[in-house]
Amino acid sequence: MQQTFIFPSAVATAMLLFLIALRPAPCNAAEPVFQSETPSTTAVSGSSGMLVSEGRASYYAHRFHGRKTASGERFSVQDFTAAHRTLPFGTTVRVTNLDNGREVVVRINDRGPYLRSRIIDVSPAAARELGLLERGTASVRIVAVN
């Protein structure tokens, strides 16, 4: 039986696993928000993709519309994009809201979030699909699609 990889090469898969392993260990310093909710990171391959992490997600404020992202492109509140600390720019991930089961596919084009308690910032368009707009944050699972 032939095994299929979601990533185009074994090198990309190894690089992703290496980046996950480099994630800093939680420290005992007080964090401003959600201190008890430290993100968990797991690597599991399977037919549905590679589980990158589970934790809290938030979304970008509208004031960032039109500003350049870390990848150099302009941020748009209508695009389905996201910020992640380590995933390569252009990586497509499926974000699933664990509170309501809604999911959306976004492309990584920026770095962040800057609160340690959060694992991803999504655009307002993606946040609307996930049901994040009212609460501001939610527990999510991130699965790499490509």
Side-chain angles (χ1 to χ4, degrees), residues 26-83:
C27 65
N28 292 331
E31 293 185 19
V33 184
F34 301 109
Q35 183 176 1
S36 64
E37 297 178 17
T38 54
S40 64
T41 302
T42 314
V44 188
S45 60
S47 61
S48 63
M50 176 169 282
L51 177 64
V52 175
S53 57
E54 288 184 356
R56 300 293 293 178
S58 54
Y59 68 94
Y60 282 92
H62 282 78
R63 71 175 185 256
F64 294 111
H65 181 75
R67 293 188 188 178
K68 280 191 176 181
T69 63
S71 67
E73 67 183 83
R74 299 259 178 213
F75 173 68
S76 172
V77 295
Q78 292 94 12
D79 292 344
F80 286 82
T81 57

Side-chain angles (χ1 to χ4, degrees), residues 93-134:
V93 296
R94 182 182 320 110
V95 181
T96 304
N97 184 334
L98 299 176
D99 298 331
N100 62 19
R102 295 169 74 174
E103 58 184 39
V104 67
V105 175
V106 295
R107 181 177 46 82
I108 304 299
N109 73 338
D110 203 3
R111 291 293 171 230
Y114 295 105
L115 290 176
R116 284 184 61 115
S117 59
R118 312 254 173 94
I119 61 168
I120 194 166
D121 276 337
V122 297
S123 66
R128 184 172 41 266
E129 294 295 318
L130 288 170
L132 285 181
L133 290 180
E134 292 78 31

